[in-house]
Amino acid sequence: MHSVGYRANALLTFAVTILALMCGMASLSDNFNSPFPSAQVQVLNINWFQKQPNANDEISMTLNISADLQSLFTWNTKQVFVFLAAEYETPKHSLNQISLWDGIIPSKEHAKFWIHTSNKYRFIDQVHKSKHVL
Ligand SMILES: *[C@@H]1O[C@H](CO)[C@@H](O)[C@H](O)[C@H]1NC(C)=O
C-alpha cells in the first residue's frame, strides 16, 4: 500500500520530468528557425557638424532607419533589442564604434518599421578626426 507522501512524490517527479522535457523541446525547436532580418539606414541630412573648443567633433544627423525583423520572432522570443552603431576609421584607431540609436521591439507586430529620427546618442569623435566619416 503506497502512502500519500509516496504518491505525492511520484506525481511531483512526473510533473517536473514533463516540465523539463517541454523546456528542452522549447529551446530545441527554436534552432529550426532560421531568421533573415534586414535593415537599411540612410543619412538624410547632416544637421550640423561642430568642432568643439575642447577639440572633439560632434555631428548631428537625420537618419531614416528601416528594418524588417519579423523573422526573429518565434514563440520563444520575448523582445528584440536593436542598436545602430557608426563604425569608422581614423589614423589613430582602425576601428571606432559609436552607438547612435537603439530601440526595443516588443512584438512581431512592431518588428517591421521605418523611422525618421536624428541620432539619439551624441555622435562625438574624441580625437578631432571625424572628417573621415564623410
Ligand atoms: C525611409 O525609408 C523607407 C523605407 O526604405 C521609405 O519608404 C521612406 O520613404 C523613407 N523616408 C524618407 C523620408 O526618405
Side-chain angles (χ1 to χ4, degrees), residues 16-120:
V16 170
T17 307
I18 295 295
L19 194 67
L21 214 67
M22 284 168 71
C23 289
M25 273 157 54
S27 57
L28 261 172
S29 71
D30 226 26
N31 292 334
F32 297 115
N33 182 48
S34 34
F36 44 91
S38 68
Q40 275 129 35
V41 180
Q42 282 174 286
V43 177
L44 297 178
N45 189 35
I46 304 288
N47 304 327
W48 43 264
F49 189 140
Q50 187 180 56
K51 286 196 193 311
Q52 294 178 332
N54 58 358
N56 289 339
D57 292 347
E58 180 168 356
I59 304 172
S60 167
M61 50 195 184
T62 305
L63 302 164
N64 186 11
I65 305 166
S66 60
D68 182 355
L69 308 175
Q70 286 180 314
S71 64
L72 295 175
F73 281 87
T74 65
W75 63 279
N76 212 14
T77 310
K78 178 159 165 54
Q79 59 186 20
V80 172
F81 177 77
V82 279
F83 69 96
L84 173 70
E87 277 188 12
Y88 59 96
E89 203 177 317
T90 57
K92 240 182 180 168
H93 305 282
S94 62
L95 179 63
N96 298 270
Q97 288 180 310
I98 295 181
S99 182
L100 298 182
W101 175 87
D102 63 16
I104 292 171
I105 316 297
S107 68
K108 191 170 184 164
E109 289 71 47
H110 295 94
K112 192 172 179 176
F113 63 91
W114 70 267
I115 60 163
H116 193 188
T117 179
S118 58
N119 48 308
K120 183 170 167 184

